[in-house]
Amino acid sequence: MIYFSFAVFVNGKFCKNPELVKPDDFFLSGFNIPRPTNNALGSNVTVVTVEAIPGLNTQGVALGRIDYAPNGGQNAPHFHPRASELLYVAEGTLYVGFVTSNQNNNRFFSKILNKGDVFVFPLGLIHFQVNIGHTPAVAFASFNSQFPGIITVARTVFGSNPPINPDALARAFKLDRDVVIKLQKQFLAENSPFFFEICSEL
């Protein structure tokens, strides 16, 4: 078999020469280890995508682990531009929900989930989870994409770099301009290396 000298990318990710593929390209350990939740959101999202396991490329699947602190730890409102999500609660009690599109009158669907429950978040819709229990909670998420992506609503809007004009946001959110500027300062401060560890790769 002949291999050419140029690289091949699929879904934006490099494809290894099949002759050079190793078992470790399909393997990852440590997914059972709880992650720290002592941060502003009280949660820690660990994702296993094609970036963590090269062998996931083109397979259309990914996995996530979410650890929640007691009494309100949350996976803040966000959406995945390239995947639907199936959430399984392994421990604890979560309040979860998603909001439909403007065309569907922004209907809100929510549920309280307990250990063993499963909930679906449709592709591209804003959703969240909050631990309403008094003990730590753990959930596992599966995605129908090897690279689902994540856009956290508040951080994206108020923590953009450079910042969005505060007058535009004040009008859109019906807030005082000073409130918008305060939010922008908070989120820009959080967009530091420490903050990005909240949503970490294994």
Side-chain angles (χ1 to χ4, degrees), residues 26-58:
F26 303 91
F27 172 78
L28 183 143
S29 64
F31 204 56
N32 61 311
I33 300 172
R35 297 302 195 266
T37 57
N38 56 336
N39 53 59
L41 293 176
S43 68
N44 197 314
V45 181
T46 305
V47 291
V48 181
T49 68
V50 65
E51 293 188 323
I53 303 179
L56 282 175
N57 202 17
T58 77

Side-chain angles (χ1 to χ4, degrees), residues 63-75:
L63 195 62
R65 173 191 174 116
I66 310 101
D67 292 276
Y68 310 85
N71 305 311
Q74 68 170 270
N75 191 8

Side-chain angles (χ1 to χ4, degrees), residues 14 19 36 47 98 147:
F14 175 70
E19 298 295 330
V47 291
F98 67 86
F147 199 49

Side-chain angles (χ1 to χ4, degrees), residues 38-150:
N38 56 336
N39 53 59
L41 293 176
S43 68
N44 197 314
V45 181
T46 305
V47 291
V48 181
T49 68
V50 65
E51 293 188 323
I53 303 179
L56 282 175
N57 202 17
T58 77
Q59 299 304 307
V61 292
L63 195 62
R65 173 191 174 116
I66 310 101
D67 292 276
Y68 310 85
N71 305 311
Q74 68 170 270
N75 191 8
H78 64 282
F79 66 92
H80 307 286
R82 295 181 291 275
S84 302
E85 176 181 345
L86 188 64
L87 186 81
Y88 166 74
V89 180
E91 294 291 342
T93 302
L94 300 178
Y95 169 56
V96 308
F98 67 86
V99 181
T100 65
S101 65
N102 294 2
Q103 291 76 20
N104 199 27
N105 298 318
N106 302 120
R107 295 180 63 197
F108 177 50
F109 294 83
S110 66
K111 195 79 175 173
I112 292 177
L113 306 182
N114 296 296
K115 181 177 179 179
D117 290 342
V118 175
F119 196 80
V120 177
F121 301 112
L123 170 68
L125 296 185
I126 295 173
H127 58 281
F128 67 90
Q129 306 105 38
V130 179
N131 181 7
I132 59 174
H134 303 302
T135 59
V138 181
F140 293 92
S142 60
F143 305 93
N144 60 339
S145 168
Q146 64 274 354
F147 199 49
I150 181 169

